Every structure is written in C-alpha cells, then in structure tokens.
Amino acid sequence: MKKLLIIFSILLVLLAGSLAAGVGILKKLGSPVSQSDDGSKVRIEIPSGMSVSGAASLLYENSLIRNEKLFYYAARWPKLKAFLYGKGEDKDFILRSGIYYIKPSMNIAQIQEELSSGQQEYIKVSIPEGLTISKIAAELEEKGICPAKDFIDWCRNPNTSAVYGIQGETVEGYLFPDTYYLTGAMPASAIADIMIGNFFDKISQIPELAQMNQADLYQTVTLASIVEREYRVEDEAPLIASVFKNRLRRNIGLYSCATVEYILTEIEGRPHPERILIEDTKIDNPYNTYKWAGLPPGPISNPGLVALKACANTPKTDYYFFQVVDPAAGRHVFTRDFDEHIQSHSLYTKKSGR
C-alpha cells in the first residue's frame, strides 16, 4: 500500500510538472514575437470574407505571432485567452476587414483586439475644380482606390444619374471637387455616392440653387461647368456668367473655347490643346457652342462653388464678349460690342488640372 502511495505521489508530481510545463509552453507561444517596442509596425490587410485561420496564417507569415493554432483557439475560446493573459481578456473576437498596423511587441490578445476594430487606412485625394469624370477616374486609379474604367462606367450609366434625379445621362457636373479621404479597393459606386452627396449638401447652402427643380438645376450646373473652365480669377466668374446669360437670352452662340476643348479631349480623345484653332470651332458636334446656340447637352466639367454661385446669383451687365488680355494672370477684358472685342481677339484655354 505504501508503495502504491509513493508511486501515486510520484505520478501526481510528474503530472503537475507536465501541466506546468504545458502552461509554460502555451504562455511562451502566446507571448509577443519581440519583447522590445521599438515603434516598428507591419501593415496587415484583412480583406472582406477572410477567415480567422487565414488571418492567423497571414500574421504568422509576417512574423507577428509565434503559433497559428494558438491564435485560432484563443479566438474561438475567449476563456483560453483570459487564462493566458489575465482577467478582462475573455472578449469575443470578431475579425473585421480593414488595414492594420501591428507591432511585433503585441501579444495575441492585443492583436485580436486591434483586428476587431475595423480600422481603415484612408487615402487623401484632392479633386480640383473643373475636372471631368474621366480625369477624376484617372486620379482615383493613380491613388490605388479603384480602376478608372469602373468609375467611368458607373458615372456614365444613365441608371446612376436616374437614382439621384439628375436630368442627364451621366453624373458629369455633380461630382463635387473637394478633398476626400477614401480607402483602397473602394467600389466606384461608393466613391461616386460620396462626391454626389457632397454636391447636394453644398448646394443646399446656396438658396438660389436649393430652390431649383432638377431641370433648372441641370441647366445651371451645365452653365457653371463652362464658367468653371473659362475663369481663372475668382472675381471674374460672375462677369463671365453674365456674358453667357446675356447671349443665351438673345439666342447667340456662347462661343466657349472650353466646350470645344471638351469635344477634342473627352469625345475625340485628343491631348489638351494649347490653343483652339479656327478649324476646331467648326467641328459638327452638339457640344460645339461656336456652331450651335444655347447650352450644350450637358456639363463639360465638375464645377466648384465659385462657378456655381456665379451662375446661381449672376449680376446684370450689358457685356456680350470677353477675351484674355493677360494669359499669365488669367485676366479678361469684357466688352459690349463685337468691334471692340475683335480688336485683340485671342483664343486661349484653361488647363484642366492634369
């Protein structure tokens, strides 16, 4: 009997030692890869739909955890996590897609808390006034946010404009120029929604625009898109708008170089011209305001607040012409009759930001 007690005691000691050793191994496997926090971080991207085991493999491949299985079991059984890291760590783990910066000095519990936050890495994109859908699309692709084709296809789909009550077949003119903070691999539809929502938010603060029905708003945005491409000095935008409105009232062609440039670059796919040639003004296209009176079929750019306000609250003038007198400064002279206008006639175009 005495021998059995001795043997049993020895077995208990061995078992206790094994358990202690096992716990020690677990704690070692769950400890941070690095014991010193030197501030270094590893960028980890968790795509939508990734599994916990997939995330564990990704972390292991980037030398951020010591053991994939332990990460998985700690995620599935919070009590194990609390046992390894102490009271308060028995939180359910929900893996959320996002961009994360993980330190090698973080333990499994800390990493799982980070991966549950849904943190995103934002990309700053500044869209200047006067860009077209295609130029905005190129900017988005260059920043790694979405393919240019996806954005163009979405914005030029008549179903898209119909959703927002826009009268035209595209959302050209309604993508408000601003600084946006977007995320990589963002759907084109989500980006357009943010920009169009921003447009309607901005015009809601301009009484003259906020009170317009969609048809009148579309005409105003179309005119503003031309003014945007013509003015360079802010205080001249209302005067340029007045010239165009005076010509529209008398059914005189707008004679806007910007509309011809739109035909050349957006419709015909040519490089941006330094000058508009006489033969360019004879192109047979409804956007050619040298050939046809009235507004073109739709906006030729996405205007900002200066142009929108100029067209919403236009001063009354008797100007019918304007022309560049200082190309470097972008200054124009405004005249009432053609003889005065023709004396120093010169055709220049405003660069479109790209």
Side-chain angles (χ1 to χ4, degrees), residues 120-142:
Q120 294 288 331
E121 178 183 58
Y122 291 101
I123 303 169
K124 181 180 178 181
V125 183
S126 294
I127 305 297
E129 293 85 352
L131 293 193
T132 57
I133 287 171
S134 65
K135 290 184 172 64
I136 293 174
E139 193 74 24
L140 294 171
E141 182 170 276
E142 187 176 299

Side-chain angles (χ1 to χ4, degrees), residues 276-309:
I276 297 297
L277 305 176
I278 295 299
E279 54 262 36
D280 295 330
T281 65
K282 297 177 181 178
I283 296 173
D284 188 11
N285 187 286
Y287 279 90
N288 187 354
T289 56
Y290 278 85
K291 192 173 180 65
W292 307 104
L295 289 170
I300 63 166
S301 75
N302 290 277
L305 282 178
V306 170
L308 287 166
K309 287 179 177 178

Side-chain angles (χ1 to χ4, degrees), residues 177-207:
D178 207 340
T179 296
Y180 296 95
Y181 292 87
L182 308 172
T183 59
M186 196 170 180
S189 57
I191 302 167
D193 184 67
I194 291 170
M195 293 181 177
I196 296 169
N198 193 15
F199 169 87
F200 282 110
D201 180 61
K202 288 293 191 296
I203 68 163
S204 70
Q205 301 166 41
I206 306 171

Side-chain angles (χ1 to χ4, degrees), residues 80-99:
L80 172 60
K81 193 162 49 174
F83 173 75
L84 291 173
Y85 303 108
K87 189 176 178 181
E89 295 297 347
D90 56 342
K91 303 171 186 173
D92 289 334
F93 174 59
I94 300 173
L95 181 64
R96 301 184 192 278
S97 61
I99 307 293

Side-chain angles (χ1 to χ4, degrees), residues 61-124:
E61 288 166 8
N62 282 274
S63 300
L64 291 169
I65 58 174
R66 295 177 184 274
N67 187 273
E68 296 177 50
K69 292 294 185 185
L70 184 57
F71 182 92
Y72 177 84
Y73 292 135
R76 286 288 175 257
W77 295 304
K79 294 294 183 186
L80 172 60
K81 193 162 49 174
F83 173 75
L84 291 173
Y85 303 108
K87 189 176 178 181
E89 295 297 347
D90 56 342
K91 303 171 186 173
D92 289 334
F93 174 59
I94 300 173
L95 181 64
R96 301 184 192 278
S97 61
I99 307 293
Y100 302 92
Y101 288 87
I102 307 297
K103 295 180 181 180
S105 59
M106 295 168 71
N107 63 35
I108 284 177
Q110 292 168 328
I111 293 173
Q112 289 187 358
E113 183 174 359
E114 187 75 8
L115 298 186
S116 292
S117 68
Q119 176 181 321
Q120 294 288 331
E121 178 183 58
Y122 291 101
I123 303 169
K124 181 180 178 181

Side-chain angles (χ1 to χ4, degrees), residues 199-218 220 312-313:
F199 169 87
F200 282 110
D201 180 61
K202 288 293 191 296
I203 68 163
S204 70
Q205 301 166 41
I206 306 171
E208 295 85 355
L209 292 174
Q211 295 165 10
M212 289 182 182
N213 59 43
Q214 288 299 331
D216 290 342
L217 178 62
Y218 189 69
T220 302
N313 191 12

